[in-house]
Amino acid sequence: MIAIETIRNIVVIFIRLGVYEMNEVANRIKKIRTWNMVALVLTAIGAVVSLVTLPSSLFPNRENFEVLGKKGLELYNQVSSTSYKVAIIFGVVMTVLFVVLYFIASRQLSQDKVPSKLIYFASLGYFVLNLVIGTFLKGASSANELTSQLGSIGVVVTVVSMIAPLLLYIPQIMCLVHIFAIEKIEEKA
């Protein structure tokens, strides 16, 4: 009798652990769904802004830059360059692509399926790539010039302008955190 009672208690414990893990996975999927939706909305807003400003980015008005003198003409030549225009078009295409990928992930999450981590890693990788390419296109000279003119405030402005956009990628990071947590739970089972 004691053996049967012990086996029953062990079975009950395993069932409760399984239910807890299932509830934990369901909670994590809800959190991923929420963070994915935030990422989708932020990226969609970015895509709309990119598409609206695309014509003026590709074809800047020279008169606006002439007002700034020699530095303005240098800046005009920079924003009129082919490499700058290619980077802008690439950025718009990538933004629209991520909107589509987040929408696909949202559909998977509505079916209680865990989306691929690749979407979120690609988004973070694109952010880093964009940051590096943007730094090279702007040129280190403009950052050094700003720093020399403004001193320590210039350093703060440069650092903040590089780190502040990272806040917009918190949803992608949180999706990855919860996906890894689900994998860990499923690994234990």
Side-chain angles (χ1 to χ4, degrees):
M1 224 22 152
I2 295 176
I4 293 174
E5 187 69 27
T6 305
I7 292 172
R8 188 181 76 74
N9 289 339
I10 290 172
V11 168
V12 168
I13 289 172
F14 279 116
I15 289 173
R16 286 184 182 161
L17 283 175
V19 169
Y20 170 75
E21 288 175 357
M22 286 175 30
N23 286 339
E24 182 66 20
V25 169
N27 289 337
R28 295 284 183 168
I29 287 177
K30 278 184 184 177
K31 290 176 183 179
I32 295 170
R33 191 178 299 136
T34 301
W35 284 113
N36 185 73
M37 189 56 66
V38 172
L40 175 64
V41 168
L42 289 175
T43 308
I45 291 170
V48 168
V49 169
S50 295
L51 290 171
V52 168
T53 60
L54 186 62
S56 62
S57 297
L58 291 177
F59 308 107
N61 188 353
R62 184 180 176 103
E63 295 168 357
N64 294 339
F65 291 92
E66 288 175 347
V67 174
L68 301 172
K70 183 181 176 187
K71 293 282 186 183
L73 290 176
E74 288 176 14
L75 185 59
Y76 174 77
N77 290 334
Q78 184 179 3
V79 298
S80 297
S81 69
T82 305
S83 62
Y84 189 82
K85 290 179 181 185
V86 167
I88 288 172
I89 292 170
F90 180 72
V92 170
V93 169
M94 290 302 292
T95 304
V96 171
L97 175 68
F98 284 120
V99 168
V100 171
L101 290 174
Y102 294 143
F103 181 74
I104 291 170
S106 179
R107 292 183 75 193
Q108 289 174 339
L109 288 163
S110 68
Q111 299 169 356
D112 291 333
K113 294 179 183 175
V114 179
S116 172
K117 294 180 284 194
L118 184 61
I119 297 168
Y120 307 106
F121 277 126
S123 178
L124 293 172
Y126 173 69
F127 167 70
V128 171
L129 179 69
N130 195 21
L131 190 65
V132 170
I133 289 174
T135 302
F136 284 121
L137 283 179
K138 289 178 189 169
S141 63
S142 63
N144 288 338
E145 189 175 308
L146 177 67
T147 303
S148 66
Q149 288 176 356
L150 298 177
S152 61
I153 295 173
V155 172
V156 171
V157 168
T158 302
V159 170
V160 167
S161 68
M162 294 175 91
I163 294 176
L166 183 61
L167 296 175
L168 296 175
Y169 286 87
I170 288 175
Q172 291 86 336
I173 294 168
M174 293 306 297
C175 286
L176 285 170
V177 166
H178 293 298
I179 290 172
F180 279 117
I182 289 173
E183 286 179 352
K184 197 171 189 178
I185 290 169
E186 291 175 347
E187 209 173 84
K188 287 181 185 178

